Amino acid sequence: MGVRHINPEGLHRSPAFSQAVVVEQPAKTIYIGGQNGVGADGKVVGPTVGDQARQVFRNLATILESEGASLANIVHWRIAVVDGHTFDEGVAAFQEVWNRADPPPAITVHVVAGLGPGFLVEIDAVAVV
């Protein structure tokens, strides 16, 4: 299986994301539904985007580890953040968990009117193992 991170000439290069990711088959693909900043007890973990994003990344890691994978296997994630909240704290949380030696996934960010009660951020992901 091959995974190639694409950042063609003529496009912006960022250490935070890849412009695209190509997956050559065969590969095991894991589609992770939207994760919120909710702990195992089902309660929101904190009042800030940073608190909740850290929990989201823990949730993603737990799911991936259950399948023998890690955050490094994520090829794309989609982030929703509630309007009026900056995602800067979420980016800081990402930088805490992402190994800079690994090419970053392709990322899409949406600002949304709202999520579930108390939720400020939600991230879904696709991983390839």
Side-chain angles (χ1 to χ4, degrees):
M1 179 219 43
V3 176
R4 291 182 290 119
H5 294 260
I6 307 299
N7 290 293
E9 292 298 321
L11 294 178
H12 172 71
R13 289 183 178 260
S14 171
F17 61 86
S18 295
Q19 291 291 347
V21 180
V22 176
V23 178
E24 304 289 343
Q25 295 297 330
K28 175 180 174 180
T29 306
I30 304 167
Y31 297 89
I32 303 172
Q35 296 297 304
N36 301 104
V38 175
D41 61 1
K43 295 182 181 173
V44 177
V45 297
T48 70
V49 169
D51 294 334
Q52 293 186 24
R54 282 181 198 84
Q55 183 63 48
V56 167
F57 293 126
R58 284 191 290 272
N59 293 351
L60 291 169
T62 298
I63 292 166
L64 291 166
E65 288 166 8
S66 76
E67 287 296 315
S70 71
L71 293 174
N73 294 106
I74 294 175
V75 296
H76 182 267
W77 48 30
R78 186 177 11 254
I79 302 165
V81 63
V82 172
D83 192 20
H85 296 273
T86 177
F87 194 65
D88 292 346
E89 292 177 45
V91 171
F94 167 75
Q95 291 173 337
E96 291 171 17
V97 299
W98 194 262
N99 181 346
R100 291 179 188 243
D102 295 327
I107 298 174
T108 304
V109 178
H110 298 281
V111 176
V112 298
L115 294 165
F119 299 152
L120 301 177
V121 64
E122 180 173 284
I123 302 175
D124 66 82
V126 177
V128 176
V129 183

